[in-house]
Amino acid sequence: MMLWILLALLALTALLPLGYALLKPGAARGRREADMALYRAQLAELDRDREVGRLNEAEHRAATLEVQRRLIAAADRTEAAPTTGRGAVMLLALPGLLAVAGLGLYLLRGTPGMPSAPYTLRAEAQARDDQIMALMRARVAALDQGTEQARRGWILLGNAERGRGRADAAIEAWERAATIRLDANIAGDIAELELERGNAAAAEPWITRGLAAEAADPRLRFLAGLIDAEGGRAAEARAKWQALLTDTPADAPWRAMLERRLSDLP
């Protein structure tokens, strides 16, 4: 019995930070909406590229699936909101209730003697994934590197590596695709991933190159302003975002986000 009491106390201790986090003031809203707006803009841009012949059906379908995956992931993210009064009290009690409920379910349904998945099994699964990716990389590298087939292969490989959380490998694959033919989508993907890693200096040249290829691309123009804003250059960010806002249709899904970003500048 003492063992279960000790486990309950440990569970409560582990959940205390959750209770504290729930009672803290909510985080600023807007990142989820901004991401979703940007991904919707990318989908619209892909449709335009297909219409003007820059993408065939296969390229359009592959790129659309990747953007839709990111859109779904962004939609699944939740943003915190401040809680006060009775709601705060309920949230404060929630960690304890979860611990008690979890302990009860474990006593009824749990299997204490079941071992966890050994490290060797997890390592084997990782090794299989690495082997598959290495095979894909070898096959793409064996293609004629001046063809659109090779370019599409590097793009898909970069998308897969990004999904695995391997930013360096994703960027390397996208850079290989860019050497065949650079467009705003590749430049934006590389710049976006570099910014996610906090590497604005590496992102900026790709934004510049992408805008040289497609000066009207809204994602690249937004990211250019974002670099200025995060670098403390509010005037430059305002000028870029205001110009983008002027060119943005009234019904564009990212317009509200852009207006809010402008109003948040000092």
Side-chain angles (χ1 to χ4, degrees), residues 229-253:
E230 293 183 350
R233 301 181 295 275
E236 290 87 343
R238 180 176 290 104
K240 290 174 181 176
W241 283 349
Q242 188 60 58
L244 175 58
L245 183 64
T246 300
D247 296 338
T248 298
D251 59 348

Side-chain angles (χ1 to χ4, degrees), residues 126 129-131 133 159-166:
Q126 180 66 42
D129 289 345
D130 291 342
Q131 187 176 17
M133 295 304 296
N159 294 343
E161 293 288 17
R162 180 175 187 171
R164 300 174 72 210
R166 299 183 58 185

Side-chain angles (χ1 to χ4, degrees), residues 217-266:
D217 184 77
R219 176 168 63 147
L220 290 172
R221 294 173 69 185
F222 176 81
L223 292 177
L226 183 62
I227 288 179
D228 287 332
E230 293 183 350
R233 301 181 295 275
E236 290 87 343
R238 180 176 290 104
K240 290 174 181 176
W241 283 349
Q242 188 60 58
L244 175 58
L245 183 64
T246 300
D247 296 338
T248 298
D251 59 348
W254 65 86
R255 186 180 181 92
M257 175 274 296
L258 184 59
E259 291 173 340
R260 184 172 59 256
R261 287 279 191 160
L262 273 166
S263 66
D264 289 341
L265 288 172

Side-chain angles (χ1 to χ4, degrees), residues 6-20 95-96 99:
L6 178 60
L7 290 174
L9 290 175
L10 288 174
L12 285 170
T13 302
L15 287 168
L16 280 177
L18 174 61
Y20 172 74

Side-chain angles (χ1 to χ4, degrees), residues 117-230:
Y119 171 76
T120 54
L121 290 180
R122 299 195 301 272
E124 288 173 3
Q126 180 66 42
R128 285 195 297 271
D129 289 345
D130 291 342
Q131 187 176 17
I132 292 171
M133 295 304 296
L135 179 61
M136 290 176 58
R137 183 175 294 274
R139 288 182 175 176
V140 175
L143 297 172
D144 182 351
Q145 294 302 298
T147 64
E148 277 297 307
Q149 184 182 9
R151 179 177 177 272
R152 289 195 300 271
W154 289 120
I155 292 174
L156 292 174
L157 185 64
N159 294 343
E161 293 288 17
R162 180 175 187 171
R164 300 174 72 210
R166 299 183 58 185
D168 288 335
I171 289 174
E172 189 270 337
W174 287 335
E175 287 177 344
R176 296 282 294 269
T179 62
I180 300 172
R181 181 171 64 83
L182 176 70
D183 62 18
N185 287 325
I186 296 178
D189 284 341
I190 297 174
E192 191 176 81
L193 191 50
E194 292 287 13
L195 286 173
E196 288 178 6
R197 302 198 298 175
N199 197 354
E204 197 161 8
W206 286 103
I207 294 174
T208 301
R209 290 180 62 187
L211 288 173
E214 298 182 44
D217 184 77
R219 176 168 63 147
L220 290 172
R221 294 173 69 185
F222 176 81
L223 292 177
L226 183 62
I227 288 179
D228 287 332
E230 293 183 350

Side-chain angles (χ1 to χ4, degrees), residues 34-188:
D35 288 346
M36 292 179 66
L38 282 174
Y39 292 143
R40 291 192 185 102
Q42 290 177 41
L43 290 174
E45 185 67 21
L46 288 173
D47 290 340
R48 287 194 293 271
D49 286 346
R50 180 181 59 181
E51 290 172 2
V52 299
R54 285 198 292 263
L55 292 175
N56 60 34
E57 285 297 329
E59 292 173 324
H60 176 267
R61 183 166 55 255
T64 298
L65 285 174
E66 173 60 21
V67 175
Q68 288 173 341
R69 180 189 65 77
R70 297 183 193 177
L71 180 61
I72 292 171
D76 286 341
R77 287 197 294 266
T78 57
E79 297 178 304
T83 56
T84 57
R86 184 177 178 181
V89 174
M90 291 298 294
L91 289 175
L92 183 61
L94 183 60
L97 294 174
L98 288 174
V100 172
L103 178 59
L105 288 173
Y106 185 72
L107 289 173
L108 290 173
R109 301 289 185 181
T111 309
M114 180 178 291
S116 61
Y119 171 76
T120 54
L121 290 180
R122 299 195 301 272
E124 288 173 3
Q126 180 66 42
R128 285 195 297 271
D129 289 345
D130 291 342
Q131 187 176 17
I132 292 171
M133 295 304 296
L135 179 61
M136 290 176 58
R137 183 175 294 274
R139 288 182 175 176
V140 175
L143 297 172
D144 182 351
Q145 294 302 298
T147 64
E148 277 297 307
Q149 184 182 9
R151 179 177 177 272
R152 289 195 300 271
W154 289 120
I155 292 174
L156 292 174
L157 185 64
N159 294 343
E161 293 288 17
R162 180 175 187 171
R164 300 174 72 210
R166 299 183 58 185
D168 288 335
I171 289 174
E172 189 270 337
W174 287 335
E175 287 177 344
R176 296 282 294 269
T179 62
I180 300 172
R181 181 171 64 83
L182 176 70
D183 62 18
N185 287 325
I186 296 178

